[in-house]
Amino acid sequence: MSGKITAAFVVITMLALFSNFGYVSSNPAIAMGYDPLDICIENCAQCKKMLGAWFEGPLCAESCIKNRGKMMPECENFASISPFLNKLY
């Protein structure tokens, strides 16, 4: 009799354990989405680090805020950062 109870207990425990896998509450970063404004400002900071005095970081950040992150500067794309480059004499 105790063998049947133990086997039933093991089966019920295993079913309960495996049935809870569908209820895991985790939020991967990709599911949360992203804010284009944050990425735009981070890109401005990255370009400032890469290009130094040649790059107008505050002007880039102001442009991000004005355009709500729709215009993404990419440090290796001259067309996207050309408005923020200055001439050093």
Side-chain angles (χ1 to χ4, degrees):
M1 180 74 173
S2 68
K4 290 181 182 180
I5 293 174
T6 305
F9 178 73
V10 169
V11 170
I12 291 172
T13 304
M14 295 301 280
L15 287 174
L17 178 66
F18 289 123
S19 67
N20 285 333
F21 283 126
Y23 299 105
V24 175
S25 61
S26 64
N27 294 321
I30 195 73
M32 298 297 290
Y34 65 93
D35 185 14
L37 180 61
D38 289 343
I39 294 175
C40 184
I41 292 175
E42 287 176 12
N43 285 358
C44 289
Q46 182 66 32
C47 293
K48 181 66 177 174
K49 286 179 187 176
M50 287 176 65
L51 302 171
W54 294 97
F55 189 77
E56 295 289 335
L59 182 63
C60 180
E62 288 174 9
S63 175
C64 288
I65 293 169
K66 181 180 174 185
N67 297 322
R68 298 181 183 165
K70 292 179 183 172
M71 190 262 346
M72 292 281 183
E74 294 188 22
C75 305
E76 296 177 353
N77 182 354
F78 182 74
S80 71
I81 63 170
S82 62
F84 314 115
L85 296 176
N86 62 17
K87 295 180 183 178
L88 294 177
Y89 294 102

